Amino acid sequence: MFYIHWVFILAYVFIIVSIMLAVLMDNRQPAKTIAWVMVLLFMPIVGIILYVFFGRNTRKMTFISQRSLDQLSKRSMLEFVEQRQLTLPDDYRSLIQLFTNQSLALPFKDNEVEFYTDGYEFFPALLKSIASARKHIHLETYIFADDALGRLVADALISKSKEGVEVRLIYDDVGCWRVPRSLFERMRRAGVDVNAFMPVKFPAFTSKVNYRNHRKVCIVDGVEAFVGGMNIALRYVKGLYGGQLPWRDTHVRIRGGAVYALQRTFLVDWYFVDRTLVTNSKYYPPMPWRIENSCLMQVVTSSPIAKWPDIMQGYVRILLEAKNYVYMESPYFLPTEQVLFAMRTAALAGVDVRLMIPRHSDSRLLELSSMSFVTEVLEAGVKIMLYEAGFNHSKLLVADDALCTCGSTNIDFRSFENNFEANVFIYDRTTALRMKEIFISDEQECVDFLSVNGERKRPFMHRLAESLVRVVSPLLLK
């Protein structure tokens, strides 16, 4: 018994030391490294569990070979090269080059954009587009709920599959944990090609639970696409708590060359989940409508396996280069240190930086954890607006009447560093002004953070809880 006791202790110490060495060798930001070491030292059991689920450095893993990526990118590159008279705006040339160099986010001109600001607008448009499909439908979503709306969309996909249309669906395994697998099996039996993104099976994929596909993308016949913040679930129409908290969101429909970039995004993900290279030119058909305008777009993706956090770097650059204003909406606000620094710097430089977050969130913990970050940017002059007309789930940014972005990315560490995300960046004055109008309209439903909280000091226990959550948050960053 004595020897068993010592063997257990030595094994335990060996595991702790090994994990500490792994954390050190990852060369993370010093604050994150210290946080992990402190947790492992003072809460070793908890630390080991957290590390197994959230700590391993996925950026070092390779989920797709360069050769396969080149093949999947070839068609979109050919469509890019065939563009005539492509000119890049001088003010954003370096930003466009940044995205192009890092993740082959090619800029496409001549695009048509339509915004949807709630589920009542978006889902009829999505269902109409699905009904019009003649060749293929590619749908990728974080949540595909087994409710009235989810079953309606499933029926629409099944109907098109029976007509001979190729239908591919990617859903996130963790996002759909509570969804009965019978929903997806019913689609499979009807001919829909369905795959779960990175299934979590203990213990093999335990560490992957922290890295989820948060993208919401749909491509129809390679000529029309949707991207934004809405998943397939009834609450995106009816709201939360039986409709007591209406749901406000933003989604975009795109026609034009940028659809080719979204097609590439989906097919890269499809290769990852299905190990099938889908490269046929039929997925990049000529556009059936003629669009000639100055609406230049880039589809930018980010993921925990990419070398650089592309979308986060884009936000930082936009904030630091803004001349007049940057308006942002996000359902959650737990920014990385880089984004926090950029927001403070822009505001202190005289840029009108406004952030809109919900007054009432779908998560009390996330609502609480935002407060210390809100206080910090307020001190630098950032204006915080609290949306009161419901739960605002929009993820958008507009700057200087010239640039805007919309997609699945929240202003939080999970979106910037842990999730697979997709945003469209639009360099066009007309479109930027339309998004600015959306922001101004939402602002009418807001109250200023300071008008609600004033200068009064929050109770000690509230501030303590906020600080504790903030201390723990670096553990969830890579």
Side-chain angles (χ1 to χ4, degrees):
M1 182 66 78
F2 176 78
Y3 291 108
I4 294 174
H5 177 74
W6 275 104
V7 167
F8 176 79
I9 292 175
L10 289 172
Y12 181 73
V13 171
F14 176 78
I15 292 170
I16 294 293
V17 171
S18 298
I19 293 176
M20 286 184 180
L21 287 173
V23 170
L24 290 170
M25 294 301 291
D26 277 343
N27 292 322
R28 308 164 193 240
Q29 293 179 18
K32 300 173 195 174
T33 301
I34 292 170
W36 274 114
V37 170
M38 295 298 285
V39 168
L40 288 165
L41 278 175
F42 296 105
M43 296 187 295
I45 298 294
V46 174
I48 291 172
I49 295 171
L50 286 173
Y51 183 80
V52 168
F53 279 92
F54 304 116
R56 285 185 266 183
N57 197 336
T58 308
R59 285 194 189 278
K60 293 185 176 182
M61 300 179 185
T62 302
F63 289 162
I64 182 170
S65 70
Q66 188 58 50
R67 182 179 178 183
S68 298
L69 184 61
D70 290 344
Q71 286 183 265
L72 289 164
S73 303
K74 182 169 61 177
R75 293 306 312 180
S76 61
M77 288 183 69
L78 287 173
E79 298 296 340
F80 166 74
V81 170
E82 289 179 5
Q83 293 183 107
R84 298 288 184 268
Q85 299 177 330
L86 175 66
T87 57
L88 305 181
D90 290 335
D91 289 345
Y92 298 109
R93 188 178 296 270
S94 60
L95 178 63
I96 293 169
Q97 197 64 48
L98 172 74
F99 290 144
T100 303
N101 288 342
Q102 290 190 167
S103 59
L104 203 65
L106 302 172
F108 287 90
K109 68 184 184 72
D110 299 339
N111 294 284
E112 180 182 271
V113 179
E114 183 171 352
F115 290 109
Y116 303 101
T117 56
D118 59 47
Y120 288 100
E121 293 179 347
F122 167 59
F123 288 108
L126 176 67
L127 289 165
K128 182 178 179 181
S129 183
I130 289 172
S132 71
R134 296 293 176 266
K135 303 294 184 182
H136 67 269
I137 300 166
H138 291 159
L139 177 61
E140 182 169 13
T141 185
Y142 179 65
I143 298 170
F144 199 121
D146 185 22
D147 57 22
L149 180 63
R151 291 189 288 272
L152 180 62
V153 174
D155 289 342
L157 296 176
I158 288 170
S159 176
K160 299 310 294 186
S161 179
K162 289 180 177 178
E163 291 176 15
V165 174
E166 294 178 26
V167 183
R168 295 181 176 90
L169 167 65
I170 301 173
Y171 68 91
D172 187 79
D173 190 63
V174 173
C176 294
W177 254 349
R178 298 181 180 179
V179 180
R181 292 302 179 256
S182 58
L183 175 69
F184 304 115
E185 286 303 322
R186 183 166 70 90
M187 286 188 273
R188 286 192 184 98
R189 289 195 299 270
V192 177
D193 208 346
V194 182
N195 272 299
F197 187 89
M198 208 184 292
V200 176
K201 299 175 182 177
F202 188 85
F205 287 118
T206 305
S207 62
K208 307 300 193 304
V209 72
N210 199 38
Y211 307 106
R212 308 317 314 164
N213 194 323
H214 196 238
R215 295 168 185 162
K216 295 96 173 164
V217 173
C218 183
I219 305 98
V220 176
D221 287 342
V223 298
E224 181 173 74
F226 299 85
V227 62
M230 283 186 258
N231 292 292
I232 309 299
L234 190 60
R235 62 179 173 273
Y236 290 81
V237 179
K238 295 292 188 180
L240 297 170
Y241 315 124
Q244 295 181 35
L245 192 63
W247 196 286
R248 160 76 183 89
D249 220 319
T250 306
H251 222 86
V252 183
R253 185 185 71 182
I254 300 164
R255 291 173 175 170
V259 175
Y260 300 135
L262 280 166
Q263 185 77 288
R264 172 188 177 265
T265 295
F266 179 89
L267 293 178
V268 169
D269 285 351
W270 187 256
Y271 175 77
F272 173 61
V273 298
D274 195 66
R275 283 295 181 259
T276 303
L277 279 169
V278 182
T279 59
N280 196 298
S281 60
K282 70 179 183 180
Y283 298 103
Y284 298 87
M287 288 294 153
W289 35 69
R290 187 177 180 83
I291 302 169
E292 292 186 3
N293 59 25
S294 59
C295 187
L296 186 72
M297 302 177 67
Q298 280 180 294
V299 174
V300 183
T301 59
S302 63
S303 76
I305 62 171
K307 190 173 183 179
W308 311 105
D310 302 50
I311 294 175
M312 183 184 76
Q313 289 182 320
Y315 271 56
V316 169
R317 194 170 187 94
I318 291 167
L319 283 159
L320 294 180
E321 294 187 348
K323 302 295 188 296
N324 301 307
Y325 75 86
V326 180
Y327 299 160
M328 299 177 287
E329 295 187 16
S330 176
Y332 317 111
F333 184 59
L334 282 82
T336 58
E337 191 58 43
Q338 296 91 329
V339 172
L340 197 62
F341 170 82
M343 290 177 69
R344 293 195 307 255
T345 301
L348 289 168
V351 176
D352 181 8
V353 181
R354 302 184 193 179
L355 172 67
M356 188 182 300
I357 56 177
R359 183 168 185 181
H360 304 291
S361 177
D362 62 342
S363 169
R364 177 58 184 156
L365 179 62
L366 291 173
E367 193 176 325
L368 181 69
S369 61
S370 297
M371 286 303 101
S372 66
F373 294 103
V374 164
T375 303
E376 193 166 338
V377 294
L378 275 171
E379 292 172 353
V382 175
K383 187 176 183 182
I384 304 294
M385 310 299 297
L386 300 176
Y387 186 83
E388 289 193 307
F391 175 53
N392 192 340
H393 191 251
S394 295
K395 307 104 168 21
L396 60 83
L397 176 152
V398 57
D400 291 346
D401 293 351
L403 161 70
C404 61
T405 180
C406 179
S408 61
T409 308
N410 301 314
I411 304 177
D412 65 25
F413 52 77
R414 179 164 296 283
S415 275
F416 286 138
E417 302 224 354
N418 290 355
N419 285 345
F420 293 75
E421 303 282 5
N423 267 47
V424 58
F425 285 75
I426 308 171
Y427 310 90
D428 176 61
R429 178 178 172 82
T430 300
T431 309
L433 287 173
R434 283 163 58 197
M435 186 172 283
K436 184 181 181 181
E437 287 177 7
I438 291 172
F439 184 92
I440 297 301
S441 176
D442 286 341
E443 207 170 33
Q444 307 308 307
E445 305 290 347
C446 292
V447 292
D448 188 283
F449 180 89
L450 289 176
S451 71
V452 174
N453 295 277
E455 299 298 328
R456 63 186 175 84
K457 219 173 185 181
R458 296 186 306 284
F460 171 77
M461 292 306 295
H462 281 204
R463 288 182 285 121
L464 177 60
E466 293 164 10
S467 297
L468 286 172
V469 173
R470 180 163 179 156
V471 168
V472 173
S473 66
L475 300 182
L476 304 180
L477 296 176
K478 301 307 294 174

